[in-house]
Amino acid sequence: MRKDIAAGGAEKYHKAAAAKGKYHARERIRLLTDQDSFVEDALWANSDPQFPADGVVTGSATVQGRRVRVVANDSTIKAGSWGARTVEKIIRTIEAAQTELCPIVYLVDSAGARITDQVQLFPGRRGAGRIFHEQVRASGQIPQACALFGPSAAGGAYMPAFCDIVAMVDGNASMYLGSPRMVEMVTGEKTTLEDMGGARIHCQDSGVGHFLSRNEDEAIASVRRWLSYLPSNWQEQPPLKAARPAREIDLKGTVPAGESTPFDMHDFLEGLVDRDSLLEVQKLWAGELITAFARLDGRSVGIVANNSAVRGGVLFSDSADKTARFVNTCDAFNVPLLFLSDVPGFMVGTAVEKAGIIRHGAKMVAAVAEATVPKICVVVRKSYGAGLYAMCGPAFGTDATLALPTGKIAVMGAEAAVNAVYANKIAAIEDPAERERFVADKRAEYEQDIDLRRLAGEMVIDDIVEPEDLRVNLIERYRRLSHKDRRFGNRRHPVTPV
């Protein structure tokens, strides 16, 4: 009987899944977890032979030697749909993860609730809503990761959304509140599942997905790697790994002297952190800002870096949201933060104001202010206007503000400032050569006013560091900050801009 239950649904459903490049739920668990470490719970749920294990596999295991809890939908059984016992198994697994203070991984491939069983599974105190309640309770207490291999439909779509990261398989994974057929019936819009809720849509446009994976092996590998940077729970420190040297990259040559010349910050990062340790999160969404985990001398660090190669590194609503979520995750799980600033500020204009960029920007600034982990800001080239605040400038509990020799801090750049202050006088100068000299003189005065050595003298920045010395400087500073006092204030929770 055990063998029959573990086999899942009929052979034809296994073949149909395999034709799409999909593994069975138990094979996914095998790929995620350490060999022979999985111990299953509630194998016998639901005595109806049509629903072996009630369509979900749950239990505990180890990943890289650390205990985790696992929930895996079996799509060969009624398309992985939820019944009453499915819901109860998931709830119990999340509760157990909180009791044991260990991460939980959701391997999702589910068509949603079984409408035929809705009274039993949907509205009650231990109904489907309790899953989301428990996910919210667990948030910030234990890491929650989701690998999405197929659909996550209707209300079930919120399960991935409440996770800290979501890895989605391109071409197979999808999240949606209403199917294309339902959308057409309700709104008249004709669409496809891929266009409305496919993996690429959520990883590029909506920001719900974090890793776009080519196949299931890659999605599971992303989850395993992400877990390696985080502790098992909020009370522990991230695991240490063996230190590795950075790639041999000329950091000084990577950063252009001209503040408006775009460059790819990824190149700078690769020459700064431990070799092969950079794991970028939400790489395809809001690319003007990089959020990534990495290691410095074997220690986990969360990186927030402006990337001038994409839209000049200007901050938009999506990049603000991206940062806020990432900073909150790092702060919850004791991962120190490193900000690499090369930002002209937030985007301006009618369109972004209507879209609420002030509200989104406030969310980013609030997250940075509230974070109590060690925080270091490095001004790589420029940190202008509210961009200085959003990138953890000196006023935000920053443990150190450093600058490369190319760094500048100001309300705005020299060109914009001179135009703002002297616009009428510039317009009144008729001789082009005289006008050019006047503008050049005023820009030189402005540059002198914000001179880096003056800022260091005023203790706005703590040190001017040569690029080739930055890695060693950061390693030593984070080592000293490892026992930082993290008290922030007395309250239940902030009223965060949303």
Side-chain angles (χ1 to χ4, degrees):
M1 289 178 69
R2 284 181 175 274
K3 185 176 179 181
D4 288 343
I5 293 172
E11 183 62 23
K12 64 179 181 180
Y13 298 121
H14 285 269
K15 289 181 177 178
K20 296 179 180 178
K22 298 171 72 170
Y23 294 127
H24 184 247
R26 295 176 188 279
E27 177 64 10
R28 290 165 178 164
I29 292 174
R30 188 190 69 78
L31 291 169
L32 171 72
T33 60
D34 299 339
Q35 186 174 358
D36 299 326
S37 68
F38 181 64
V39 178
E40 187 166 352
D41 295 326
L43 172 74
W44 303 92
N46 201 334
S47 57
D48 188 333
Q50 291 186 84
F51 303 100
D54 211 35
V56 66
V57 184
T58 59
S60 63
T62 60
V63 173
Q64 299 159 346
R66 296 191 295 162
R67 178 184 291 276
V68 300
R69 283 279 172 171
V70 182
V71 172
N73 301 118
D74 186 347
S75 63
T76 68
I77 300 168
K78 297 295 182 181
S81 58
W82 292 2
R85 293 159 197 84
T86 316
V87 169
E88 180 63 23
K89 287 176 71 170
I90 295 171
I91 293 171
R92 290 190 187 189
T93 305
I94 306 172
E95 290 174 337
Q98 292 176 80
T99 299
E100 297 164 11
L101 286 176
C102 70
I104 184 167
V105 179
Y106 307 87
L107 305 176
V108 178
D109 190 353
S110 172
R114 295 175 204 151
I115 303 300
T116 53
D117 297 351
Q118 64 174 314
V119 173
Q120 291 80 21
L121 74 89
F122 176 69
R125 290 180 179 272
R126 298 285 289 187
R130 188 73 183 190
I131 293 174
F132 311 133
H133 176 271
E134 290 303 319
Q135 282 191 280
V136 173
R137 284 188 66 224
S139 179
Q141 180 186 129
I142 54 174
Q144 299 185 78
C146 171
L148 186 52
F149 307 108
S152 185
Y158 288 105
M159 176 181 277
F162 285 124
C163 289
D164 302 316
I165 58 107
V166 183
M168 302 182 71
V169 178
D170 196 13
N172 281 341
S174 60
M175 279 185 275
Y176 52 92
L177 297 182
S179 67
R181 185 167 55 190
M182 180 183 291
V183 168
E184 183 176 0
M185 182 179 69
V186 174
T187 70
E189 178 190 3
K190 292 185 178 182
T191 185
T192 66
L193 192 57
E194 190 65 27
D195 288 341
M196 181 176 62
R200 195 166 290 275
I201 292 296
H202 284 303
C203 290
Q204 285 184 174
D205 300 326
S206 76
V208 181
H210 297 75
F211 301 109
L212 182 66
S213 307
R214 291 169 294 182
N215 51 48
E216 297 198 1
D217 296 84
E218 190 174 283
I220 291 170
S222 294
V223 170
R224 285 176 59 90
R225 191 175 177 204
W226 179 81
L227 286 170
S228 73
Y229 291 93
L230 300 176
S232 292
N233 58 68
W234 71 283
Q235 295 176 329
E236 297 181 4
Q237 294 299 313
L240 284 169
K241 299 289 185 181
R244 303 186 68 183
R247 291 188 182 277
E248 294 184 6
I249 293 174
D250 177 15
L251 293 184
K252 182 175 287 187
T254 300
V255 182
E259 67 179 58
S260 299
T261 304
F263 79 102
D264 193 340
M265 185 65 82
H266 293 93
D267 298 332
F268 188 86
L269 289 173
E270 289 289 356
L272 182 66
V273 302
D274 291 8
R275 181 185 292 267
D276 300 327
S277 73
L278 194 69
L279 176 65
E280 188 168 359
V281 179
Q282 294 183 306
K283 183 176 184 177
L284 301 179
W285 186 53
E288 64 274 8
L289 189 134
I290 298 167
T291 50
F293 291 101
R295 295 189 182 278
L296 280 169
D297 200 38
R299 295 174 181 268
S300 290
V301 62
I303 295 172
V304 178
N306 307 114
N307 188 16
S308 62
V310 179
R311 299 203 284 189
V314 177
L315 294 171
F316 289 79
S317 293
D318 283 348
S319 41
D321 287 352
K322 176 178 174 177
T323 303
R325 177 66 181 270
F326 182 78
V327 167
N328 284 337
T329 302
C330 290
D331 191 53
F333 297 116
N334 310 316
V335 179
L337 285 160
L338 172 62
F339 296 83
L340 297 176
S341 180
D342 183 19
V343 60
F346 284 88
M347 189 60 184
V348 297
T350 306
V352 293
E353 293 293 358
K354 287 181 178 178
I357 195 165
I358 295 173
R359 175 166 48 86
H360 291 276
K363 188 192 305 185
M364 177 178 177
V365 172
V368 170
E370 290 162 8
T372 58
V373 290
K375 299 183 291 192
I376 297 177
C377 172
V378 178
V379 182
V380 176
R381 283 198 302 183
K382 56 189 176 294
S383 203
Y384 291 159
L388 173 65
Y389 304 156
M391 293 301 291
C392 202
F396 286 81
T398 314
D399 295 291
T401 305
L402 310 177
L404 302 188
T406 47
K408 296 178 181 179
I409 296 176
V411 173
M412 61 185 73
E415 182 178 355
V418 170
N419 287 338
V421 175
Y422 298 105
N424 293 335
K425 193 164 186 178
I426 292 170
I429 301 174
E430 296 181 359
D431 182 357
E434 184 182 347
R435 187 188 310 122
E436 189 176 326
R437 280 195 302 272
F438 178 83
V439 170
D441 288 345
K442 293 303 178 185
R443 287 181 185 175
E445 289 177 13
Y446 188 84
E447 293 285 1
Q448 188 175 3
D449 188 51
I450 61 169
D451 179 74
L452 202 55
R453 285 169 295 180
R454 180 185 177 188
L455 293 174
E458 296 289 344
M459 299 187 347
V460 172
I461 58 173
D462 297 293
D463 199 1
I464 303 171
V465 183
E466 293 292 340
E468 61 269 25
D469 299 329
L470 181 60
R471 175 178 161 85
V472 173
N473 193 305
L474 291 173
I475 288 171
E476 182 55 36
R477 287 180 184 276
Y478 282 122
R479 185 180 291 121
R480 295 202 314 245
L481 290 165
S482 59
H483 298 293
K484 177 184 175 182
D485 183 351
R486 295 186 57 188
R487 286 173 291 187
F488 187 73
N490 296 321
R491 62 186 180 188
R492 284 193 177 86
H493 58 76
V495 181
T496 305
V498 295

